[in-house]
Structures are given as C-alpha cells and as structure tokens.
Amino acid sequence: MFKEKEKLSSKEIWKWTNLAISICLVILLLVGIGKNPLDNEIFQFLATSYVLFAFGYWVYVAAWNEWFKSHSLGMNTLITFGTLIPYFYSFYLAIETWTHHNELFSPFFSTAATIMLVISIGENINYYFHKRLNTKISDMNKQKAENANLLVNNEIKVILAKDLKIDDLVIVKKGEIVPADGILLSDYATIDESTFNGEINYTEKQKGDLIFGGVINTSDTFELKITTLYKNSMINQLINKAQRVQGAKLAITKKLDKIATWFTPIILLISIVFFLIQYYVGYALPNCLIISKHYDWYKDRLSISIYYAIGVLVGACPCVFGIAIPIVLVASSGKFLKHSILLNKGKTFDSVKNTNAIAFDKTGTITEGKFRIEHIHGKDEYKEIFYALSKLSNHPLSQSFVKTIEADDKNINYLKINNFKELPGIGLLGEYNKKTYKVVSSSYVQANNIKSEFALCPTDKPLITFSYLLENDVIVLEVQFIDAIKSNAYDSLKELKSMGYKLFLITGDNEFNAKYLKKELGFDKVYAKVLPNEKYNIIKEIQKENDVIFVGDGLNDIEALQQANVSIAMNSGNNISKSVSDFIVLDDDVQSVVDAIKIIKQAIKTIKANLIWALLYNILIIPLAGVGIIMPIISAILMGVSDFVLVSNSMILKALPVKWYTSTHKEHILLNTIKL
C-alpha cells in the first residue's frame, strides 16, 4: 500500500521540464566560452534570461517577500544580488560592444545562469527529500477509514467513521480498515499495523486488547467497542503531532533566528568591502582571480572587482538557518512514527540531551501489568462483590481480575454497587446490601492491623501482589495476583546503563518485590511502598543531583510526570497521564523508551554536525572567494554542495538504525548520501 507509485502534478512536470531545459542551456553557455558560434552575446542574453526568469523566478519572488513582507534580508537576497548583478552588468557590456564596438571585459552571462541553476538544483533536491519524508504522513491520512459498520440491534448500519461515538459497537470485516480505537470483544483477531511503521507487521490480539484505528483486519470478522472519538483516535494524533514536531522551535533554532537576521547584511557588507579594495588598490595586490590574469586591471578593474564581490555573495551559505535544523526534525518525526513513539512536545529535544537518570514506575512499564490470578481464598458470594467493585475501576489489578473471571465464568452475576469511590493509595470503596466493602492492598492491611476470617496465605514467590476484600473492615476474600517482567526489560535496562543512565524504580509494591527487581534488572536504587502523592517528592529528590526522565502509566503518576525533566507515558495508561507527557510509547514496550532517547540523541548529533559543517564552510569559502581564489561559478557549485550535504546528513539520520547509537560514538559529520 505504501509502495504505490506517486503521480507527478502538472506543476511538478513543468518544474522538472524547466530544469532539464535550463541544464541544457547552461551547458551550451559554458561550451560557448571562447571563439565559436555559441560565443554570441544575443544567444547568451536570451539563454540566461530564460534560466533566471523562467526557471529561477521563485528566487526573486522569495526575495521580494523577504524585503516587503518579512522585512528581512535572507538567503534569497544573496542569490538575487549574486545573479542580477552579473546579468545586468553583462547586458551593459554587450550593449557597449554592439553600439560602440568597445572591447571591454567579456560579458559573464554564464556566471549568472550557472549560479541560478546550481541553487535551483539544490532547492529541488531539498524539495524531493522533504516530500519523501512527508509521504508517510500522507499515507497515514489515506489509511483513515471513511465508513464504519455500526452494530445496532444485531443489524449492521453503515455510517461515517467520524460519526462514531464512545461505546458504539462496530463490525470489522476481513480486509477492512479499523475505523477508530476500540477494545476487541471477539476472542481473537490478527491485524496488520503497517499504517504506523510502513512495513507489513501482523499482530495477534486477544479479547480485551486495544486496537487502533487505521490498522487492517487480516483475520475473520471481529467485533469492536469504540473507546475514542474518531478525531481523537491514535492515527489522527500521530498525524497532528508529527506535523507539530516538524515545526518545533528548539532553543538553538531561536538563537540561529537572531543570527540569521544579521548574516545577509554582513555578507553584503563584506562583498562591498572586497569590491572596494579590489577597485581602488587591486593593482597593488596579488591577483588571485584566475580570469583577471588575462585582462588589464586599469582597463577592466570594474569588471574584475564585480567578479570578486559576486564570489562572496554566492559563496556564502546561510542555508543552516533555513534547513540544517528543520530537516532534522522532519527526519526525526518520521523515525518516531516508525518506532511506535508519539512525541507530544518539540521542547523535548532540548530536555533529553541533558538527562542522566531514568525513574520507572513498576506495573505496566517494567512488568507486564497483565496480572494472572494465582489464588482466590474466600466464599463465591464475596468473589462476586470483588468482581462488581473491580468492574468499576481502571486499575490494572481490577481489569485483570474482571477479564479472568469473565473468561472463566460467563454467567457470573453483576451486582449493583452503591456510592462507589476510588481511594488514592488505599483502593476501592462501595456499598452493597447496606454493608461497606473495600478492596485494599497488603500494605494497607498491615498498616491498619486488619483482622481476617481465615488464615492468610504467605508466599515467597517474587512479583506476587495481594488484594483483599474487606466487609466492615474484616478480610472476607483474599486474591493473589502474579505479574511478570517484560521480556525485553532486561536488555533495555542494560542498554540504558551502557548509555550512562542511573536507573531508579518507584513502586507502591512491597520491599520484597522491589529488592527482587533491583537485583534482577540492575536498578541503582528502588523506592518501595510508595504512595501516589509521594512519587512527586521522590522525583524532586532525584533531581537534586540529576536531570531525570520518568516513565509511568497511571493516574497516580501524573504529578511525577509533570515534575520530571522529561516524561514518558505508556499508551495503555491513563489518558490524563498521556496528555501531560512528552512521549507516549504506543506499543507499551520498554525498548521503545530506549529508542526514543536514542533517536533524540542521534538528532542532536546530526544538528551539531550540520552546524559545524555550515560554520566551517562559511569560514573557509567567504575569504577564498573574496580574494579571488574561488571563482563565482565555483562558489555557486560549492554552495549547492553545502546544501546537499546538510540534507543528506539528515537523511542518513532517518535511515540509520536506532541501535547504531551508543554513548561511545564520537560526533562527526556524515558526508555520504543515501537512496530514499
């Protein structure tokens, strides 16, 4: 689907045709230098006029906008002066030759035409790469379903996907696009998630799993319960936020914007200085300009001086202000999409680079958070009350209990609970049959010396979590859950360690499980039995010596996520926690946390490489052009090469595997090009 060949618009066809014609004309102009039929002022004037005004008119339009709309002097101003000065001066020389037969300095129409051609080729390359990078976003727009099969009273009604409401039931047939985010109600489904990474990726889903809108059903028909409005679905969030990241303003960008306002005026001033020096005292200076060796300085000093000035104008490359950083953001945006990472805020680029510590919540981040019931101790009637309370909660333990009980007993009674409340740091509270019931943790039981109707079941197994049902503050049901460490958590945390990060674990679980995870996964420090309101203070404590990333997923993580220097939320978590986070990990994978950090660090390295390249280029080329060692035509070619290097460097970032980055790699400038 993503490999479909793109059709060129009529505007693009005209652009590429114009480019081909201009290349042919410039070749003829360059071949025409010397005594041959093409060394003709009329032909040179007409050919150059076509290249400048039919092919390169966009430069003059952009320069006009710079002067009269933006009230600034930018790169297009330099190109305008660099092409029109030799063009009009050559026209003057040609008139002199035709009317007075004066053998003046030969017209250099070819210089103006070559400059415009090289600059335009660079612009077209930039346009091509930018278009390729945005194809992903365009493809995702095409992958949004237009219609949905709404299930009403066991009958299917086809409606617009954008008209779907939360809790609507829809039928997704084989080969159809899922219309919006929802929970799978059928027992099983297989989907193709190529929408999000551009590659065929078949994923199996079980009953109760979340399925994103935009993916394709590759299995039999399944039933879905809509959980998110169409406009807020994950595919729309991806598109909107990917576009927002491209336009993000980094701290370094704001500084460069200020420098850019002075760059062109300074270059114009330098060009004038070199012109004046050559014009008035050029006879006393070594003649570096190759072409000047064939002319008399006293007779042709104006032409020679203009040549020097033009070399400075077209050699300077302010492209760093226009593309060096934005194109890196574009490349990074596409890379985030491919690795199932949603970047909420562009400022994250500035924040991540300084971080040296990562704090993790346990459940749903380091562990699966898909608890399995290991043991239930108590009467069945209390199990139904526990089920009814859990049905009203979004807590991972509650959801796991509900899912397991419904799978094992499809006829379980659903009791109506009155005055239900979720008590942060305690559990669930509700009333049934005029009695008060609570679902609480083992730490609450221990702290309050709660009595039990039966002997509790101690265990020495790791990652066991206990929940208790209290009837009037007496334990009447004990539920034993077991969790599991995510399969790639071991390698992911080891990788973060190798990158120099200190690792912290913050959990409300008991000390036994926290110490087990510290030993098993190599955390530097663990905080156990932490209440929700304490996570914020722990993050502040860690920040006394570190810039910290916090990874969480629950409602009780919100304050900690907001306090951290950088926040990452798992997609399976609470919507509020996701809204306040800098990142959202769509696949709930610990490795994606590592990938997010690596992509940003790669992007920062690429930005630095681009800035270093642009700085060294301008420092070297401007004086060489000013003293005439580099001719204007060569200056134009070098400027185009500089543009191409910056774009190519950013494209390498997009193609480079994430695993390439390690903390030991030295910063360097990438000069290779790649095939997109």
Side-chain angles (χ1 to χ4, degrees):
M1 185 168 295
F2 294 112
K3 303 299 181 183
E4 184 180 350
K5 192 173 181 180
E6 297 176 24
K7 294 182 179 180
L8 294 176
S9 64
S10 57
K11 184 177 180 180
E12 288 176 320
I13 292 173
W14 173 244
K15 177 189 288 187
W16 295 114
T17 302
N18 245 338
L19 175 61
I21 294 172
S22 297
I23 290 173
C24 293
L25 290 175
V26 170
I27 291 174
L28 292 175
L29 284 169
L30 294 175
V31 170
I33 297 176
K35 299 300 180 181
N36 62 63
L38 293 176
D39 187 14
N40 179 284
E41 286 84 357
I42 296 177
F43 167 74
Q44 291 181 15
F45 169 73
L46 293 176
T48 302
S49 298
Y50 182 90
V51 174
L52 263 56
F53 304 115
F55 177 59
Y57 71 92
W58 62 271
V59 170
Y60 307 122
V61 172
W64 179 271
N65 291 332
E66 284 178 357
W67 301 338
F68 298 106
K69 289 186 179 180
S70 303
H71 305 292
S72 63
L73 300 175
M75 182 175 68
N76 295 297
T77 299
L78 293 181
I79 300 171
T80 296
F81 282 112
T83 53
L84 293 186
I85 289 174
Y87 173 77
F88 286 115
Y89 185 64
S90 295
F91 181 72
Y92 159 74
L93 293 177
I95 294 295
E96 283 292 315
T97 302
W98 299 335
T99 57
H100 300 95
H101 303 287
N102 290 340
E103 289 294 330
L104 298 175
F105 196 90
S106 296
F108 34 93
F109 285 112
S110 58
T111 299
T114 304
I115 291 169
M116 181 58 75
L117 177 65
V118 172
I119 297 301
S120 296
I121 289 175
E123 180 67 20
N124 276 281
I125 292 172
N126 186 17
Y127 168 81
Y128 170 76
F129 284 149
H130 204 284
K131 182 181 177 182
R132 292 290 296 169
L133 284 169
N134 282 292
T135 297
K136 173 64 178 175
I137 294 175
S138 175
D139 287 336
M140 291 180 69
N141 266 312
K142 295 174 184 176
Q143 275 296 95
K144 293 190 292 187
E146 293 184 5
N147 300 316
N149 303 315
L150 182 66
L151 188 61
V152 182
N153 297 325
N154 292 323
E155 293 185 3
I156 295 177
K157 179 182 178 182
V158 179
I159 66 169
L160 294 176
K162 65 183 180 65
D163 292 333
L164 285 171
K165 299 175 182 177
I166 294 176
D167 291 335
D168 277 348
L169 301 181
V170 297
I171 296 296
V172 183
K173 300 175 183 178
K174 185 174 183 178
E176 287 186 340
I177 298 173
V178 176
D181 303 351
I183 297 295
L184 179 64
L185 298 182
S186 302
D187 293 330
Y188 174 84
T190 303
I191 58 171
D192 174 15
E193 296 181 330
S194 57
T195 304
F196 298 110
N197 57 25
E199 300 172 1
I200 300 298
N201 180 22
Y202 295 111
T203 304
E204 296 181 354
K205 297 289 184 179
Q206 305 293 332
K207 183 177 181 179
D209 287 344
L210 176 65
I211 297 180
F212 295 133
V215 301
I216 303 169
N217 178 19
T218 58
S219 59
D220 293 332
T221 298
F222 62 75
E223 188 176 340
L224 196 73
K225 181 179 180 181
I226 302 301
T227 58
T228 308
L229 293 177
Y230 178 80
K231 64 179 181 179
N232 298 326
S233 62
M234 185 54 63
I235 190 169
N236 279 313
Q237 289 188 56
L238 282 170
I239 293 168
N240 295 336
K241 288 174 181 176
Q243 292 171 333
R244 190 186 306 167
V245 171
Q246 294 181 39
K249 282 282 187 180
L250 307 187
I252 184 64
T253 309
K254 295 174 183 177
K255 293 177 182 178
L256 288 177
D257 286 344
K258 294 180 181 179
I259 297 173
T261 59
W262 292 98
F263 185 87
T264 296
I266 289 173
I267 294 301
L268 289 172
L269 181 61
I270 292 173
S271 176
I272 292 171
V273 168
F274 276 112
F275 171 84
L276 294 174
I277 290 173
Q278 183 62 32
Y279 188 81
Y280 287 106
V281 296
Y283 65 90
L285 300 175
N287 241 327
C288 300
L289 192 64
I290 297 172
I291 198 168
S292 65
K293 296 177 181 178
H294 304 287
Y295 293 90
D296 182 355
W297 179 87
Y298 292 97
K299 178 182 177 183
D300 300 313
R301 65 177 181 171
L302 177 61
S303 299
I304 294 174
S305 300
I306 288 175
Y307 233 62
Y308 276 86
I310 292 171
V312 173
L313 288 175
V314 300
C317 183
C319 49
V320 62
F321 311 117
I323 65 172
I325 294 177
I327 199 126
V328 173
L329 295 179
V330 173
S332 301
S333 180
K335 203 162 187 177
F336 281 127
L337 293 178
K338 186 173 182 179
H339 289 272
S340 300
I341 301 161
L342 182 60
L343 183 60
N344 269 344
K345 305 166 188 175
K347 73 176 183 65
T348 309
F349 278 82
D350 294 314
S351 304
V352 168
K353 64 182 180 182
N354 298 320
T355 56
N356 62 339
I358 303 181
F360 290 89
D361 178 44
K362 177 180 76 74
T363 305
T365 54
I366 297 301
T367 63
E368 293 287 351
K370 298 178 181 178
F371 296 90
R372 189 178 76 250
I373 297 176
E374 186 81 351
H375 177 73
I376 298 178
H377 190 188
K379 298 178 181 178
D380 284 347
E381 61 184 270
Y382 293 123
K383 184 172 72 172
E384 290 182 345
I385 296 173
F386 195 107
Y387 168 76
L389 286 164
S390 298
K391 188 82 172 175
L392 300 173
S393 171
N394 286 321
H395 191 280
L397 286 173
S398 300
Q399 291 296 304
S400 297
F401 186 84
V402 169
K403 187 174 180 180
T404 303
I405 295 300
E406 288 180 345
D408 294 341
D409 185 2
K410 297 185 182 299
N411 296 318
I412 187 168
N413 293 322
Y414 177 57
L415 308 177
K416 184 178 180 181
I417 300 295
N418 299 316
N419 300 321
F420 174 80
K421 293 180 182 178
E422 291 200 58
L423 306 175
I426 298 177
L428 311 177
L429 173 67
E431 295 178 0
Y432 176 71
N433 261 355
K434 298 182 180 180
K435 293 182 180 179
T436 300
Y437 291 91
K438 292 180 185 176
V439 173
V440 298
S441 65
S442 57
S443 59
Y444 179 86
V445 168
Q446 293 170 9
N448 293 276
N449 296 315
I450 304 296
K451 296 180 181 180
S452 175
E453 288 187 349
F454 46 79
L456 302 182
C457 301
T459 181
D460 57 357
K461 288 183 180 180
L463 301 183
I464 291 289
T465 300
F466 290 91
S467 284
Y468 301 96
L469 178 66
L470 309 184
E471 181 184 75
N472 296 330
D473 289 329
V474 176
I475 297 174
V476 294
L477 188 77
E478 179 186 60
V479 182
Q480 190 178 121
F481 296 93
I482 187 167
D483 200 359
I485 297 173
K486 289 186 175 180
S487 59
N488 57 7
Y490 295 91
D491 291 338
S492 299
L493 295 182
K494 185 178 179 181
E495 201 167 359
L496 289 172
K497 275 275 192 181
S498 71
M499 293 166 62
Y501 280 97
K502 300 175 187 176
L503 302 181
F504 298 87
L505 179 67
I506 305 174
T507 178
D509 206 346
N510 60 62
E511 291 184 3
F512 176 77
N513 285 338
K515 289 179 179 178
Y516 168 77
L517 290 171
K518 179 180 180 181
K519 181 180 178 181
E520 191 75 4
L521 297 174
F523 284 101
D524 293 284
K525 188 173 182 179
V526 295
Y527 298 85
K529 301 173 71 173
V530 177
L531 295 175
N533 60 336
E534 294 176 336
K535 292 184 179 182
Y536 167 83
N537 293 325
I538 291 173
I539 293 296
K540 288 188 71 175
E541 180 185 328
I542 298 173
Q543 285 176 320
K544 290 178 180 178
E545 297 181 0
N546 309 276
D547 281 356
V548 62
I549 299 170
F550 179 62
V551 186
D553 71 335
L555 190 62
N556 57 9
D557 294 328
I558 292 173
E559 288 187 339
L561 288 166
Q562 291 177 314
Q563 174 61 30
N565 300 89
V566 176
S567 54
I568 301 178
M570 295 296 179
N571 189 58
S572 59
N574 181 272
N575 286 333
I576 300 177
S577 65
K578 289 189 287 187
S579 68
V580 302
S581 297
D582 297 309
F583 289 111
I584 299 173
V585 175
L586 301 180
D587 56 8
D588 296 327
D589 193 338
V590 188
Q591 182 58 45
S592 294
V593 173
V594 183
D595 291 344
I597 296 169
K598 285 186 173 184
I599 290 170
I600 286 197
K601 287 186 177 285
Q602 286 178 1
I604 295 297
K605 282 181 176 288
T606 304
I607 287 173
K608 288 181 178 179
N610 282 354
L611 294 177
I612 290 170
W613 166 262
L615 179 64
L616 292 177
Y617 169 86
N618 282 295
I619 289 175
L620 183 64
I621 296 299
I622 290 173
L624 290 179
V627 298
I629 293 177
I630 298 178
M631 296 172 63
I633 289 179
I634 304 301
S635 293
I637 293 172
L638 290 175
M639 182 181 175
V641 170
S642 178
D643 261 1
F644 185 72
V645 168
L646 292 178
V647 174
S648 299
N649 198 17
S650 303
M651 295 305 100
I652 290 172
L653 166 67
K654 183 174 183 290
L656 205 61
V658 172
K659 64 177 66 177
W660 173 87
Y661 175 85
T662 68
S663 57
T664 57
H665 281 138
K666 296 181 179 179
E667 293 175 11
H668 60 286
I669 300 175
L670 302 169
L671 303 181
N672 303 37
T673 59
I674 63 168
K675 182 178 180 181
L676 291 180

